[in-house]
Amino acid sequence: MLNPKQRKELEDALNALPKRERDRLFDEARKKRSDAQKRRRAKARETVDGERVGGQSRPDPLIDWVLRLFADERKRGVNAGAGGDSGTSDANALVEGLVVGLTRRWAEVLPDGSEPDAAPVGCRLSAEMAAKQQSGIAVGDRAVFAPDDTGDPEVVRVLPRRSVLSRPDPRDPSAERVVAANIDAVVIVVSVRSPPLHPRLIDRYLVAIEHGGADAVIAVNKADLLSGADLASELTKLDPYRDAGIPVVVCRAHPETGQRDVDGLRTLLAGKTCAFVGHSGVGKSSLANALHPDLELATGAVRSQDLRGRHTTTASTMHRIPGGIRVIDTPGVRYFGLADITPEELRWSFPEFVELSRECHFTDCTHDHEPGCAVKQAAEEGRIAPVRLETYRRLLEELRTGKPPGEVSERIRPPRDD
Ligand code: GDP
Ligand code: ZN
């Protein structure tokens, strides 16, 4: 890290310090080195996915730690050589930023205050964080990083989230996978043809979105594939959602013909961080590209697959789009289980029920079989869409019995989505 000349210069400056100051530096360095040693020992015992991740190499001599600390303080003007007062060196080494990319062991973090097109800093994930990576850190998170014992940036902390988009891990439904964090909106993308519109697919996404605290938007893509009248009739399928207060926006994002209309979507998303979800092939990537042609996300059949035909795009990335929009590309999100949602939470996931349920005879009415249910009555009178109550009851049944939905069309998990 230091060349011999720099080192000599530092040593001289250190020796010129008042004894009290030198002692302070040695004390602090001793503490840092011992902490690092503890971490190293802990790491040496740790494995991630059966693979040993711990470094067992011996720690640097104490004097190296002292010189590093001293150099760091001088760089920040804390200790110009004349015994300045410092107790904040740790805090100052910490940098806060936004996680814009994530792979198994690395997070790309854009430090706060960076220029808009600045490159993010590649930060190692601590072994602990890498082990619970799917829930511990996600694109969109605000994270704090600091140099680790080798001086490389390492994520040390993830700040509390204001919203998440998460789903149960397909391999271990009791574990949560956070797909994106701190999103304002989740855009459920559907198409009117190819694949055709199955409104029921939307319900599951909506529950997960409500649960995670983001707003939902429904984007209907491929409007060019239907005539005006057919389109209008197809869109009535989405009236229940519209009535429930969920914005529905019609788009065209055809990459080949260049027929593009995403103005409505752009207006809805202005200034927001969002994630696009939906069936494969509905045009999520095309929509993102239409919002910002510079993105050039791969679309259609050109998805990368490894030799066993698995999708290899496991990394999520946040893209910046003019208009203050940030889109989180979440390649793996096609299926949302309901595993960690309780029946109570399900009730709150249907926004149009919330007001009405105050008028139910029982305060804990599940809107299922109870007498005096205001939600049931509203559905009968057409004040809310009956299909929404049906949907709710079906999902409630699924939660109670633990059985997946019987209808195949509702299973939106593709054969190999992991
Ligand atoms: P994704 O899997 O949801 O990301 O979907 P893609 O963006 O890869 O698009 C899937 C296919 O739909 C591609 O062949 C696109 O060319 C096509 N496509 C996307 N948007 C439109 C659209 O608005 N109209 C039509 N006709 N085709 C579209
Ligand atoms: Zn009720």
Side-chain angles (χ1 to χ4, degrees):
M1 190 183 76
L2 292 169
N3 67 36
K5 191 161 158 265
Q6 288 169 322
R7 188 177 173 104
K8 176 80 176 60
E9 195 266 321
L10 256 187
E11 278 172 353
D12 288 346
L14 181 69
N15 287 332
L17 285 179
K19 178 172 181 318
R20 191 175 50 89
E21 194 53 25
R22 237 183 4 246
D23 287 350
R24 182 190 62 81
L25 281 168
F26 270 83
D27 279 347
E28 263 192 60
R30 204 170 283 122
K31 189 169 168 306
K32 277 176 179 286
R33 181 171 180 265
S34 132
D35 286 351
Q37 233 164 331
K38 274 184 221 143
R39 279 205 304 273
R40 225 181 268 262
R41 275 198 291 268
K43 269 191 190 174
R45 287 192 297 270
E46 261 185 78
T47 57
V48 173
D49 300 342
E51 190 184 316
R52 230 173 162 71
V53 294
Q56 287 155 308
S57 56
R58 291 176 58 80
D60 297 334
L62 181 62
I63 183 63
D64 289 6
W65 285 84
V66 174
L67 290 177
R68 257 197 312 256
L69 183 63
F70 184 42
D72 184 40
E73 290 191 357
R74 287 215 308 178
K75 198 158 68 198
R76 297 195 320 269
V78 174
N79 202 329
D85 176 39
S86 156
T88 59
S89 54
D90 272 348
N92 286 342
L94 299 174
V95 180
E96 209 175 302
L98 177 68
V99 178
V100 295
L102 198 63
T103 57
R104 277 165 62 81
R105 300 285 159 77
W106 292 89
E108 301 271 308
V109 185
L110 195 64
D112 289 351
S114 307
E115 291 296 316
D117 49 1
V121 179
C123 301
R124 201 191 306 279
L125 300 180
S126 66
E128 190 198 357
M129 208 168 274
K132 59 172 187 183
Q133 191 230 42
Q134 303 252 330
S135 61
I137 184 165
V139 171
D141 263 325
R142 304 209 33 88
V144 176
F145 66 88
D148 67 2
D149 28 327
T150 63
D152 293 331
E154 183 181 65
V155 174
V156 294
R157 196 152 30 111
V158 171
L159 302 183
R161 296 163 174 154
R162 62 189 163 84
S163 68
V164 291
L165 176 63
S166 65
R167 59 172 181 157
D169 190 320
R171 273 175 271 182
D172 172 12
S174 66
E176 185 189 33
R177 277 190 183 187
V178 177
V179 176
N182 300 321
I183 43 208
D184 301 297
V186 177
V187 182
I188 305 171
V189 183
V190 293
S191 57
V192 286
R193 271 185 61 189
S194 150
L197 183 58
H198 289 303
R200 283 191 169 180
L201 301 181
I202 297 172
D203 299 319
R204 221 162 249 284
Y205 288 126
L206 283 179
V207 171
I209 295 165
E210 282 286 332
H211 182 64
D215 289 336
V217 169
I218 300 175
V220 186
N221 192 33
K222 308 200 187 184
D224 56 289
L225 294 181
L226 291 182
S227 71
D230 289 346
L231 180 64
S233 115
E234 192 74 354
L235 288 176
T236 59
K237 289 186 187 170
L238 298 175
D239 286 348
Y241 304 103
R242 237 190 283 251
D243 293 348
I246 297 155
V248 175
V249 59
V250 178
C251 311
R252 291 168 184 80
H254 203 301
E256 284 102 51
T257 64
Q259 269 207 48
R260 284 176 165 172
D261 177 8
V262 290
D263 293 347
L265 187 61
R266 195 190 301 281
T267 307
L268 268 180
L269 300 183
K272 293 185 178 164
T273 297
C274 53
F276 285 11
V277 299
H279 234 337
S280 192
V282 290
K284 297 181 292 295
S285 311
S286 304
L287 278 174
N289 288 339
L291 286 168
H292 188 34
D294 290 1
L295 283 183
E296 297 180 348
L297 302 181
T299 61
V302 286
R303 287 290 145 70
S304 54
Q305 298 202 332
D306 70 9
L307 289 175
R308 277 179 276 173
R310 291 182 311 204
H311 289 280
T312 53
T313 42
T314 51
S316 292
T317 319
M318 184 187 281
H319 305 282
R320 176 189 285 275
I321 286 172
I325 304 174
R326 291 167 193 266
V327 170
I328 300 177
D329 185 22
T330 56
V333 186
R334 299 184 202 90
Y335 171 76
F336 282 98
L338 298 177
D340 63 340
I341 291 174
T342 64
E344 287 71 40
E345 286 168 331
L346 185 68
R347 250 182 288 164
W348 302 114
S349 302
F350 286 70
E352 72 269 46
F353 295 3
V354 174
E355 255 319 287
L356 287 168
S357 56
R358 286 176 218 265
E359 288 151 39
C360 290
H361 181 73
F362 296 103
T363 46
D364 58 350
C365 183
T366 64
H367 321 314
D368 186 18
H369 56 276
E370 295 93 338
C373 174
V375 175
K376 181 168 171 250
Q377 196 180 342
E380 280 165 5
E381 293 168 7
R383 283 180 285 127
I384 63 168
V387 63
R388 290 277 288 169
L389 184 56
E390 277 164 36
T391 301
Y392 161 79
R393 287 180 175 164
R394 222 181 41 251
L395 294 177
L396 184 66
E397 183 66 13
E398 181 186 336
L399 287 181
R400 283 176 174 159
T401 61
K403 281 206 201 94
E407 252 182 76
V408 177
S409 67
E410 215 173 319
R411 301 284 295 170
I412 48 182
R413 184 212 293 229
R416 267 191 305 258
D417 175 29
D418 60 6

